[in-house]
Amino acid sequence: MNTVEFSSLPLKTALLENIESLGYTHLTPIQAESLPHILEGRDVIAQAKTGSGKTAAFGIGLLSRLDLSSFKVQAMVVCPTRELADQVCKEIRQLARFTQNIKVLALCGGTPFAPQRDSLQYGAHVVVGTPGRLQEHLQKQSLRPDHLKVLVLDEADRMLDMGFADIISDIISYTPNHRQTLMFSATYADPIRDMSQKFQFKPISVSVETSHHDNPIEQHFHQVEKSKRLNALGYLLAYHRPESTVVFCNTKRECQDVASTLTTCGFSVQALHGDLEQKERDQVLVRFANKSCSILVATDVAARGLDIKDMQAVINYELPWDPEVYVHRIGRTGRAGQKGLALSLCSEAEMNRVKALEDYLSMSAHWDDIAPFKIAYEQRFEPPMITLWIDGGRKQKVRPGDILGALTGTAGIAGSDVGKIDVFDNQAYVAIKRQSSNKALACLKNGKIKGRSFNVHKSQWK
């Protein structure tokens, strides 16, 4: 496929300039196939995975349709998880920087309902949310989609897998018939086709074929006795030394046990499983995404919606039963043209799972030996960043720019030493390069952010 530049699209000059300022020059394959149809106002069903550039495709499309003089909800994006909704929100806000007047509002479960209801009273152009919370706002009439122009169903297959079919149908029943409906799904299974037939009008089907053989992910398999699996995991982490790794376990208990053992042995680890409270989950994901924690040990259910850039490796502590789950797991590395590494441990009793994978992917497994390794305490390759927690967030009018300004202004910390900044309702997190973390902590503790003093400390979550 020939490369297509954004400048060739019929976009507003200010939007185009902002897209270019974000470093986007050429369209990804899914953008090149879908965006022209989206800009024409057609319904589109697109087969696209997370990391393919799909968010920018529908984000640019819906921003092009907005009437900024009207603070009515004109676009709605439905996402399967809060994490994905937050990521979509952030990307749309970035794309919308060409004007200060566009209001994008997140409506997700796991956070209080009333503040969202109050924000909706002041109006919004775009809402991004999870199915249950969007349905609740529609039923209580705090969200009125009478002026909706664009409806986006993001990761539609995952929403169906999670049992949201009836809720999505109910959400759509509140929307105008004359709307543009965009569906993005990693698969074209029958339930997705049925949903498209039910809710879309003469949709354009878009699919960018990606060959398994062209995959930028290196896949290696290691046979190991079940009793030596933890030692083998320690060897892989010590040998490859990835800066950012997800270790997948099949059960919550196994997940917690593996994370606890690795922590005891000096690795920088966080566990992500279904027993975590939403606030704990947010903290774990913030720390992992901003590179102040190197290893995330997770179950498949807890990792839904996880989209971390520059993830260097995925390790299957135990292979899943379903080959498609394996593909979803390893697809979290090797994104945006980067090389990825997928390492899998399996015992002799699990060889039938490897055979199923070989058949599913039409490939032969590449086997590597594991050298003897003893799990023992040792301070191991600390992560490059430290996270600082700030006792103030959106409700206190704290913005990422305010935190960055406080650090790079009077403190004189180089902007290159400041990493990812995450602002929630009542707290914020900023990643700082390890060598500058003490200076940054002193600056924020003793100084002010936006003219106010806040409690600040290094985050040490276990």
Side-chain angles (χ1 to χ4, degrees), residues 80 155-166 168 183 189-193 195:
E155 299 202 0
D157 54 338
R158 185 168 293 170
M159 290 195 283
L160 293 184
D161 288 344
M162 294 168 75
F164 289 136
D166 290 342
I168 290 169
M183 281 180 57
D190 287 343
I192 293 297
R193 296 181 190 279
M195 180 182 276

CSV table of all heavy atoms in Angstrom, one decimal, residues 80 155-166 168 183 189-193 195:
chain,number,residue,atom,x,y,z
A,80,PRO,N,-14.9,-0.9,26.1
A,80,PRO,CA,-15.1,-2.0,27.0
A,80,PRO,C,-14.6,-1.8,28.4
A,80,PRO,O,-15.2,-2.4,29.4
A,80,PRO,CB,-14.4,-3.2,26.3
A,80,PRO,CG,-13.4,-2.6,25.5
A,80,PRO,CD,-13.9,-1.3,25.0
A,155,GLU,N,-13.5,-1.6,20.0
A,155,GLU,CA,-13.3,-3.0,20.5
A,155,GLU,C,-14.7,-3.7,20.7
A,155,GLU,O,-14.9,-4.2,21.8
A,155,GLU,CB,-12.4,-3.0,21.7
A,155,GLU,CG,-11.0,-2.4,21.4
A,155,GLU,CD,-9.9,-2.9,22.4
A,155,GLU,OE1,-10.2,-3.7,23.3
A,155,GLU,OE2,-8.8,-2.5,22.2
A,156,ALA,N,-15.5,-3.6,19.7
A,156,ALA,CA,-16.9,-4.2,19.8
A,156,ALA,C,-16.8,-5.7,20.1
A,156,ALA,O,-17.7,-6.1,20.9
A,156,ALA,CB,-17.6,-3.9,18.5
A,157,ASP,N,-15.9,-6.4,19.6
A,157,ASP,CA,-15.9,-7.9,19.9
A,157,ASP,C,-15.6,-8.1,21.4
A,157,ASP,O,-16.2,-9.0,22.0
A,157,ASP,CB,-14.8,-8.6,19.0
A,157,ASP,CG,-13.4,-7.9,19.1
A,157,ASP,OD1,-13.3,-6.7,19.5
A,157,ASP,OD2,-12.4,-8.6,18.8
A,158,ARG,N,-14.7,-7.3,21.9
A,158,ARG,CA,-14.4,-7.5,23.4
A,158,ARG,C,-15.7,-7.2,24.2
A,158,ARG,O,-15.9,-7.8,25.2
A,158,ARG,CB,-13.2,-6.6,23.8
A,158,ARG,CG,-12.8,-6.8,25.2
A,158,ARG,CD,-11.5,-6.2,25.5
A,158,ARG,NE,-10.4,-6.8,24.7
A,158,ARG,CZ,-9.2,-6.3,24.6
A,158,ARG,NH1,-8.9,-5.2,25.2
A,158,ARG,NH2,-8.3,-7.0,23.9
A,159,MET,N,-16.4,-6.1,23.8
A,159,MET,CA,-17.6,-5.8,24.6
A,159,MET,C,-18.6,-6.9,24.5
A,159,MET,O,-19.3,-7.2,25.5
A,159,MET,CB,-18.2,-4.5,24.0
A,159,MET,CG,-17.3,-3.3,24.4
A,159,MET,SD,-18.1,-1.7,24.2
A,159,MET,CE,-18.1,-1.4,22.5
A,160,LEU,N,-18.7,-7.6,23.4
A,160,LEU,CA,-19.7,-8.7,23.3
A,160,LEU,C,-19.2,-9.9,24.1
A,160,LEU,O,-19.9,-10.5,24.8
A,160,LEU,CB,-19.8,-9.1,21.8
A,160,LEU,CG,-20.5,-8.2,20.9
A,160,LEU,CD1,-20.7,-8.8,19.5
A,160,LEU,CD2,-21.9,-7.7,21.4
A,161,ASP,N,-17.8,-10.1,24.1
A,161,ASP,CA,-17.3,-11.2,24.9
A,161,ASP,C,-17.5,-10.9,26.4
A,161,ASP,O,-17.6,-11.9,27.2
A,161,ASP,CB,-15.7,-11.3,24.7
A,161,ASP,CG,-15.4,-11.8,23.3
A,161,ASP,OD1,-16.2,-12.4,22.7
A,161,ASP,OD2,-14.2,-11.6,22.9
A,162,MET,N,-17.6,-9.7,26.8
A,162,MET,CA,-17.8,-9.3,28.2
A,162,MET,C,-19.2,-9.3,28.6
A,162,MET,O,-19.6,-8.9,29.7
A,162,MET,CB,-17.1,-8.0,28.5
A,162,MET,CG,-15.6,-8.0,28.4
A,162,MET,SD,-14.8,-6.4,28.4
A,162,MET,CE,-14.9,-6.0,30.1
A,163,GLY,N,-20.1,-9.6,27.6
A,163,GLY,CA,-21.6,-9.7,28.0
A,163,GLY,C,-22.3,-8.4,27.9
A,163,GLY,O,-23.4,-8.2,28.5
A,164,PHE,N,-21.8,-7.4,27.1
A,164,PHE,CA,-22.5,-6.1,27.0
A,164,PHE,C,-23.5,-5.9,25.9
A,164,PHE,O,-23.9,-4.8,25.6
A,164,PHE,CB,-21.4,-5.0,26.9
A,164,PHE,CG,-20.6,-4.8,28.2
A,164,PHE,CD1,-19.2,-4.6,28.1
A,164,PHE,CD2,-21.2,-4.7,29.4
A,164,PHE,CE1,-18.5,-4.4,29.2
A,164,PHE,CE2,-20.5,-4.5,30.5
A,164,PHE,CZ,-19.1,-4.3,30.5
A,165,ALA,N,-23.8,-7.0,25.2
A,165,ALA,CA,-24.7,-6.9,24.0
A,165,ALA,C,-26.0,-6.2,24.3
A,165,ALA,O,-26.4,-5.3,23.5
A,165,ALA,CB,-24.9,-8.3,23.4
A,166,ASP,N,-26.7,-6.6,25.3
A,166,ASP,CA,-28.0,-6.0,25.6
A,166,ASP,C,-27.8,-4.5,26.0
A,166,ASP,O,-28.7,-3.7,25.7
A,166,ASP,CB,-28.7,-6.8,26.7
A,166,ASP,CG,-29.1,-8.2,26.3
A,166,ASP,OD1,-29.2,-8.4,25.0
A,166,ASP,OD2,-29.4,-9.0,27.1
A,168,ILE,N,-25.4,-2.5,25.1
A,168,ILE,CA,-25.1,-1.7,23.9
A,168,ILE,C,-26.4,-1.4,23.1
A,168,ILE,O,-26.6,-0.3,22.6
A,168,ILE,CB,-24.1,-2.4,23.0
A,168,ILE,CG1,-22.7,-2.4,23.8
A,168,ILE,CG2,-23.9,-1.7,21.7
A,168,ILE,CD1,-21.7,-3.2,23.2
A,183,MET,N,-17.8,1.1,13.8
A,183,MET,CA,-17.5,-0.1,14.6
A,183,MET,C,-16.1,-0.5,14.4
A,183,MET,O,-15.7,-0.7,13.2
A,183,MET,CB,-18.5,-1.2,14.3
A,183,MET,CG,-19.8,-1.1,15.0
A,183,MET,SD,-20.9,-2.5,14.5
A,183,MET,CE,-20.0,-3.9,15.1
A,189,ALA,N,-16.2,-11.9,13.6
A,189,ALA,CA,-17.0,-13.1,13.9
A,189,ALA,C,-18.5,-12.7,13.7
A,189,ALA,O,-18.9,-11.6,13.5
A,189,ALA,CB,-16.9,-13.4,15.4
A,190,ASP,N,-19.3,-13.8,13.6
A,190,ASP,CA,-20.8,-13.6,13.3
A,190,ASP,C,-21.5,-12.6,14.2
A,190,ASP,O,-22.3,-11.8,13.7
A,190,ASP,CB,-21.5,-15.0,13.3
A,190,ASP,CG,-21.1,-15.9,12.1
A,190,ASP,OD1,-20.6,-15.3,11.1
A,190,ASP,OD2,-21.3,-17.1,12.2
A,191,PRO,N,-21.2,-12.6,15.5
A,191,PRO,CA,-21.9,-11.7,16.4
A,191,PRO,C,-21.6,-10.2,16.0
A,191,PRO,O,-22.5,-9.3,16.1
A,191,PRO,CB,-21.4,-12.0,17.8
A,191,PRO,CG,-21.0,-13.4,17.7
A,191,PRO,CD,-20.4,-13.6,16.3
A,192,ILE,N,-20.4,-10.0,15.5
A,192,ILE,CA,-20.0,-8.6,15.0
A,192,ILE,C,-20.8,-8.3,13.8
A,192,ILE,O,-21.3,-7.2,13.6
A,192,ILE,CB,-18.5,-8.5,14.8
A,192,ILE,CG1,-17.8,-8.6,16.1
A,192,ILE,CG2,-18.2,-7.2,14.1
A,192,ILE,CD1,-18.1,-7.6,17.1
A,193,ARG,N,-20.9,-9.2,12.8
A,193,ARG,CA,-21.6,-9.0,11.6
A,193,ARG,C,-23.1,-8.7,11.9
A,193,ARG,O,-23.7,-7.9,11.3
A,193,ARG,CB,-21.5,-10.2,10.7
A,193,ARG,CG,-20.0,-10.4,10.2
A,193,ARG,CD,-20.0,-11.6,9.2
A,193,ARG,NE,-18.6,-12.0,9.0
A,193,ARG,CZ,-17.8,-11.4,8.1
A,193,ARG,NH1,-18.3,-10.4,7.4
A,193,ARG,NH2,-16.6,-11.8,7.9
A,195,MET,N,-24.4,-7.5,14.7
A,195,MET,CA,-24.5,-6.2,15.3
A,195,MET,C,-24.4,-5.1,14.2
A,195,MET,O,-25.2,-4.1,14.2
A,195,MET,CB,-23.4,-5.9,16.3
A,195,MET,CG,-23.4,-4.6,17.0
A,195,MET,SD,-22.1,-4.3,18.2
A,195,MET,CE,-22.8,-5.1,19.6
